[in-house]
Amino acid sequence: MDDLIANNTLYNFYAPFIPPERATQIKESMKSNYGGNIHTRIGLSASNISQPQYFRFCSQCLQEDEEKYGEFY
């Protein structure tokens, strides 16, 4: 479960910027059947920054990834 969280979620991007005990609570919520409090613990529900409607990416970086790795990162 830890590998799944580390390699397939945004946990590693948020964890360094929140208190360690809260990061642990968030990870435990991700492992449980109830993850409804994760956004609240991270602080997203209180944020006034709106989430973009569409995924954004750099087309030049996308092409460079495909040339270098054979796929997109």
Side-chain angles (χ1 to χ4, degrees), residues 3 9-10 18 36-37 43 45 49 61 67 69:
D3 286 339
T9 70
L10 296 176
I18 56 178
N37 60 359
S45 62
I49 300 172
C61 296
E67 291 169 3
Y69 304 111

Side-chain angles (χ1 to χ4, degrees), residues 2-48:
D2 288 328
D3 286 339
L4 180 69
I5 292 170
N7 296 314
N8 297 287
T9 70
L10 296 176
Y11 176 81
N12 289 336
F13 294 103
Y14 286 104
F17 301 100
I18 56 178
E21 71 178 32
R22 191 166 5 139
T24 301
Q25 291 173 341
I26 290 166
K27 186 181 272 190
E28 291 306 313
S29 292
M30 294 172 86
K31 293 178 183 180
S32 74
N33 288 332
Y34 179 73
N37 60 359
I38 293 171
H39 287 96
T40 305
R41 285 187 174 159
I42 291 173
L44 288 177
S45 62
S47 174
N48 60 0

